[in-house]
Amino acid sequence: MTADQDKAEALTYALKQFVNVCDEAEALVGHKPLCATEVDYEELVQSMLPQTIDPQSVQGTGLKQLQHLVEGCKKCRLSETRTHTVFGEGVIPARLMVIGEGPGAEEDASGRAFVGKAGKYLDSWLGAISMSRETNVYIANIVKCRPPENRNPEGDEVAACLPYLKRQIQLVKPQIILLVGAVACHALLQTPDGVGKLRGRFFRYEGIPVVATYHPAGVLRNEELKRPVWEDLKKVAAYLATPLNGRS
Ligand code: URA
């Protein structure tokens, strides 16, 4: 007999005893009994027992447990070539959550998100709106393992990894999300549109406002993108500065 069957049997016995006691009490005060014989105890007990939890499921995990699942993840081929998983980092609950594409070489080597050239540039963007990963921002990526040669993650790799990010967002509880780059926009907003078309307005993900902008690596390659990024950052800052939009 398994532990679950043991529990079910004990619960059934306790339930029967309980109904019998209730019946006796009802009889004492002259009420009609509960019809104990009509109760389907087995079915009742099954509905009361907690469902068996899949150890690989992200549901109900805390951040540490989630990180542990990511560290052991072998759901896609990116796990075969990674050095480290890159879970994400920052402050919880976050005022702002920045979501990028996936780790590059420096992130893969260190296990930390956005620590290479693009990451340092991203930190300077955050500094320009008086924010940082040390004080009020959480930073993560769509995929937690580096795609070889920094290629874009494939659809099945994104699909395998997305449940981790979705749970991470629930736990980080950001007031607003900034998606940097097309890969992040496509994955979270479920649209094939490019950043040029998506930026400049607010979207919602699970009720959380979302702003899309260019990826810092792209802006490093093309200076003309600096101005639109600055406008998008100001949009985020203005949203957070509006008193009704959340905690200060
Ligand atoms: N680019 C990303 O999208 N994420 C990182 O963590 C680093 C570079």
Side-chain angles (χ1 to χ4, degrees), residues 146-160:
R146 183 191 183 201
E149 315 301 329
N150 293 349
R151 65 161 169 76
N152 283 355
E154 309 270 355
D156 60 330
E157 294 159 355
V158 171

Side-chain angles (χ1 to χ4, degrees), residues 73-136:
C73 182
K74 292 203 163 63
K75 284 195 199 155
C76 84
R77 66 193 83 80
L78 297 183
S79 65
E80 292 160 22
T81 49
R82 73 181 176 219
T83 311
H84 292 108
T85 55
V86 178
F87 185 65
E89 62 183 54
V91 174
I92 297 166
R95 299 205 79 203
L96 167 66
M97 183 164 181
V98 179
I99 301 176
E101 177 179 324
E106 271 117 327
E107 289 79 17
D108 176 65
S110 65
R112 294 188 56 207
F114 276 103
V115 290
K117 207 170 164 198
K120 293 201 173 71
Y121 192 34
L122 174 64
D123 284 337
S124 77
W125 293 5
L126 297 174
I129 52 169
S130 305
M131 303 192 84
S132 73
R133 62 176 98 190
E134 286 82 28
T135 56
N136 44 21

Side-chain angles (χ1 to χ4, degrees), residues 184-220:
C185 295
H186 297 163
L188 215 72
L189 299 177
Q190 298 282 297
T191 167
D193 290 344
V195 176
K197 195 161 173 196
L198 297 171
R199 59 165 297 277
R201 54 199 160 119
F202 284 98
F203 294 87
R204 292 247 166 209
Y205 169 78
E206 303 270 318
I208 305 164
V210 177
V211 169
T213 198
Y214 296 102
H215 193 285
V219 188
L220 283 171

